[in-house]
Amino acid sequence: MIHQYDFLVLGSGIAGLSFALKAAGRGRVAIITKKHRAESNTNYAQGGIAAVIGKDDSFASHVADTLEAGAGLCREAVVRTIVEEGPARIQELIDLGVKFSEAERQGAEPGFDLGMEGGHSARRILHAKDTTGREVERALLAAVASHPNIRVFENFFAIDLITTRKLGLAGTNRCVGVYVLMDAVGTVGTFSAPVVMLATGGCGKVYLYTTNPDIATGDGVAMAYRAGAAVANMEFIQFHPTCLYHPKAKSFLISEAVRGEGGVLRNFAGQEFMEKYHALKSLAPRDIVARAIDTEMKRSGAEHVWLDITHKPARFVMERFPNIYQTCLKYGIDITKEPIPVVPAAHYQCGGVVTNVDGETDIVGLYAVGEVACTGLHGANRLASNSLLEAVVCAHRAAQRILAEPPARAAVDVPAWESRNAHNADELVVVSHNWDEIRRLMWDYVGIVRTNKRLQRAQKRIANLQEEILEYYWDFVVTSDLLELRNIATVAEVIIACALQRPESRGLNFNLDYPQADPAWAQRETVLRRTS
Ligand code: FAD
Ligand code: SIN
């Protein structure tokens, strides 16, 4: 049986839900999401959404900060569009019921409490205390739940895009649907629609240490790459400078907003060090702060640095950062009285599936928005809190574009999934071993500081692992663990290939063999496209 819809949305974070709500006025929408519907990077976002709201702020200033952080590689027209359309999309979120924190502090003007983060030259971060993503996700999911045209399929895992090229049909490559592992029943179903929206988020789990939850395995980039779409700039993996360092804490972020409110970084010996690296000190752009911490840790052999906000009034810290305060307390750290041990960790994928600002990819019928997409907004390094902004603006624009000229359903027979002679895997230890190996390899060889030799070594090892994984893939019944393994291997391949293509250091791609930026590469993106 083929499940036919007007719109297939893969992913239920801010990008997928925002698009689904706009598309649902025109047709039936299926949201396919691989875990519980709220489980997404969006749900863990802390700092907030950047937008020009304050009266002392301006579009020109937000554009300039984004371009500066992006280290010369942003597409300027895209930056302008996203920044200028931000306030209208924020108003829509408010109308949907998102409750952003309001100014209560002494001396602050009435209105929203605008936060500050690294690389911003004005207070422009709307936030809901330190759990902004949870609040946005709550409001969007509530709106989706009450929409009669939207059906959410939880624990449904998108395996691969169905394209006319894969079906052996001549002519323009077109996406006509998706194969989906229907976890609840353990079989693979076929979903078809004239519009397939990739909103599957990022790929933090490709690295051993990450701020991302388990869903972030780069499935969208891997699927699009296999389908023949262009992917770009994947060498620019953003490492967040301050992930909690604690043996029992899995991926807990300490928001940049803590530094925005005065928190300072200290080395293991307790000395401030950021003035050696940038005039903005602890609030410098993220690539610079993460690299500075990496240098300090390597120099001293320490396993972490400290983030110190003990000089601020305890009541302020507890009220502004209740989630961070409570979580650290659970691990025995009272952040009002002692500094927080922190380390950098993989956080955000600046590259992705190439799209324009309306979410269109180079495959007809396939769109991408949110972290999975590479619109050109972030360039070589994303400005803090610009990703939730990009997701809402681009989801809106994609909906407008598609609804203005809805693509017709292709007259194609979409075949059912073929499972060959697959049998149940009896050596799942191989899957978990390969998972660990890839993540460690990426951390050690394709991390904050790279060299050509390390990249080449990683490339060889990933190619071997991919052969093994492929054998598994053909021989055994697919499981979500195996599918994710195949995807992180593909994304690792793509990150390494992009990093090897770029003969310079720029933004987040720092290579000791070329420690400087090369002006000839200032506007060049590293684009990959699979042709077979
Ligand atoms: P996500 O929110 O990650 O959603 C992806 C969805 O796709 C999920 O529902 C997932 O289950 C689903 N999915 C993935 N693969 C499949 C598959 N194969 N089949 C079916 N479903 C699939 N950005 C900011 O701008 N401000 C912040 O303050 C901020 N804080 C952050 C804090 C943390 C801890 C993290 C991890 C990120 C933060 N970011 C922040 C980044 C931001 O949260 C993300 O970039 C953004 O939420 C991405 O939204 P998205 O909708 O594209 O993807
Ligand atoms: C944070 O709160 O530090 C995360 C902000 C972001 O990733 O944009």
Side-chain angles (χ1 to χ4, degrees):
M1 173 196 163
I2 294 188
H3 305 262
Q4 286 204 348
Y5 282 84
D6 299 302
F7 305 94
L8 288 181
V9 179
L10 311 184
S12 54
I14 186 171
L17 297 176
S18 302
F19 175 79
L21 284 168
K22 305 229 162 183
R26 286 290 185 84
R28 290 172 61 241
V29 181
I31 299 180
I32 289 161
T33 190
K34 70 180 177 180
K35 295 256 168 84
H36 179 271
R37 63 189 67 196
E39 199 50 21
S40 56
N41 275 9
T42 302
N43 205 41
Y44 296 87
Q46 294 186 354
I49 309 186
V52 176
I53 304 284
K55 68 177 176 26
D56 297 330
D57 199 2
S58 69
F59 290 140
S61 157
H62 190 178
V63 167
D65 292 346
T66 304
L67 297 177
E68 171 73 19
L73 201 68
C74 302
R75 290 184 218 154
E76 193 167 337
V78 169
V79 175
R80 212 168 287 289
T81 301
I82 292 177
V83 163
E84 290 179 3
E85 295 186 8
R89 303 289 77 80
I90 296 288
Q91 188 55 50
E92 283 177 356
L93 287 176
I94 294 167
D95 295 343
L96 267 183
V98 175
K99 301 224 173 321
F100 291 114
S101 296
E102 299 196 1
E104 285 165 8
R105 279 178 287 150
Q106 244 188 351
E109 287 177 29
F112 291 114
D113 178 40
L114 299 175
M116 180 61 145
E117 289 182 16
H120 287 276
S121 55
R123 283 193 168 266
R124 62 167 73 98
I125 319 290
L126 285 128
H127 62 96
K129 301 227 180 220
D130 58 351
T131 48
T132 310
R134 199 187 297 165
E135 172 60 8
V136 169
E137 188 74 14
R138 179 202 62 73
L140 289 170
L141 280 175
V144 159
S146 62
H147 204 298
N149 263 359
I150 306 180
R151 178 153 177 214
V152 182
F153 293 86
E154 284 178 317
N155 299 311
F156 273 42
F157 191 117
I159 303 175
D160 260 322
L161 302 169
I162 308 169
T163 58
T164 50
R165 193 174 92 178
K166 279 202 195 152
L167 298 177
L169 303 172
T172 313
N173 196 13
R174 180 170 181 157
C175 184
V176 293
V178 186
Y179 290 120
V180 178
L181 177 66
M182 305 193 289
D183 225 356
V185 285
T187 52
V188 177
T190 308
F191 283 72
S192 94
V195 172
V196 176
M197 173 58 77
L198 274 180
T200 46
C203 69
K205 293 296 284 189
V206 172
Y207 285 86
L208 188 58
Y209 302 112
T210 177
T211 64
N212 291 190
D214 290 347
I215 54 96
T217 49
D219 300 354
V221 166
M223 282 190 277
Y225 182 61
R226 286 194 290 268
V231 300
N233 288 1
M234 286 294 290
E235 69 274 38
F236 299 114
I237 298 295
Q238 183 169 69
F239 292 81
H240 196 293
T242 58
C243 184
L244 177 64
Y245 176 83
H246 188 280
K248 294 212 174 112
K250 189 182 166 200
S251 313
F252 186 68
L253 181 76
I254 308 293
S255 175
E256 195 152 307
V258 172
R259 278 172 283 139
E261 296 300 345
V264 288
L265 288 163
R266 298 183 189 281
N267 63 19
F268 198 66
Q271 295 145 347
E272 286 188 41
F273 57 87
M274 275 310 298
E275 66 272 17
K276 281 190 281 179
Y277 298 92
H278 198 276
L280 290 172
K281 300 184 189 171
S282 292
L283 274 181
R286 257 178 215 178
D287 53 336
I288 292 162
V289 182
R291 239 179 355 257
I293 295 177
D294 187 67
T295 307
E296 293 289 322
M297 283 168 53
K298 283 192 176 132
R299 189 172 290 155
S300 65
E303 290 189 335
H304 62 81
V305 294
W306 303 105
L307 175 59
D308 187 0
I309 190 148
T310 53
H311 51 287
K312 298 294 272 191
R315 193 165 155 260
F316 165 73
V317 172
M318 286 152 75
E319 280 177 5
R320 174 67 179 82
F321 303 110
N323 183 42
I324 295 174
Y325 172 73
Q326 288 299 341
T327 306
C328 288
L329 205 57
K330 199 174 82 189
Y331 294 116
I333 305 159
D334 181 344
I335 70 170
T336 65
K337 298 199 174 88
E338 55 196 317
I340 313 165
V342 290
V343 283
H347 181 64
Y348 185 84
Q349 161 195 307
C350 293
V353 182
V354 176
T355 67
N356 60 16
V357 74
D358 299 332
E360 293 173 302
T361 72
D362 55 6
I363 297 181
V364 177
L366 180 67
Y367 301 79
V369 287
E371 191 166 339
V372 70
C374 177
T375 61
L377 172 69
H378 310 305
N381 175 41
R382 175 179 65 102
L383 183 66
S385 288
N386 262 359
S387 54
L388 295 175
L389 172 73
E390 179 190 45
V392 271
V393 169
C394 294
H396 171 82
R397 292 187 64 96
Q400 300 273 96
R401 165 57 65 107
I402 292 165
L403 299 183
E405 276 175 68
R409 192 177 288 278
V412 171
D413 281 334
V414 182
W417 172 262
E418 223 187 291
S419 56
R420 305 196 181 186
N421 293 322
H423 48 280
N424 286 324
D426 51 3
E427 286 198 62
L428 287 179
V429 65
V430 178
V431 173
S432 70
H433 175 85
N434 286 354
W435 252 94
D436 294 347
E437 184 170 348
I438 293 173
R439 297 182 65 208
R440 185 167 287 282
L441 183 79
M442 291 301 286
W443 184 259
D444 289 341
Y445 292 171
V446 197
I448 297 174
V449 176
R450 301 164 182 179
T451 66
N452 286 344
K453 206 162 166 191
R454 285 184 212 159
L455 291 172
Q456 280 153 1
R457 208 168 268 169
Q459 191 174 44
K460 258 194 219 149
R461 189 63 198 127
I462 292 289
N464 289 341
L465 283 163
Q466 279 182 308
E467 269 179 41
E468 257 175 49
I469 293 165
L470 216 59
E471 267 173 42
Y472 247 76
Y473 182 71
W474 292 128
D475 291 349
F476 297 112
V477 171
V478 288
T479 62
S480 52
D481 282 349
L482 179 55
L483 293 169
E484 287 184 342
L485 174 65
R486 181 173 74 132
N487 289 336
I488 64 164
T490 303
V491 174
E493 172 201 329
V494 167
I495 294 171
I496 297 165
C498 285
L500 279 168
Q501 266 191 27
R502 184 171 288 280
E504 63 160 356
S505 287
R506 179 177 300 279
L508 297 156
N509 183 62
F510 186 73
N511 186 329
L512 287 173
D513 290 311
Y514 326 100
Q516 304 301 328
D518 176 352
W521 276 79
Q523 284 291 304
R524 285 174 69 178
E525 299 188 338
T526 44
V527 183
L528 299 181
R529 188 183 278 106
R530 201 149 106 167
T531 48
S532 61

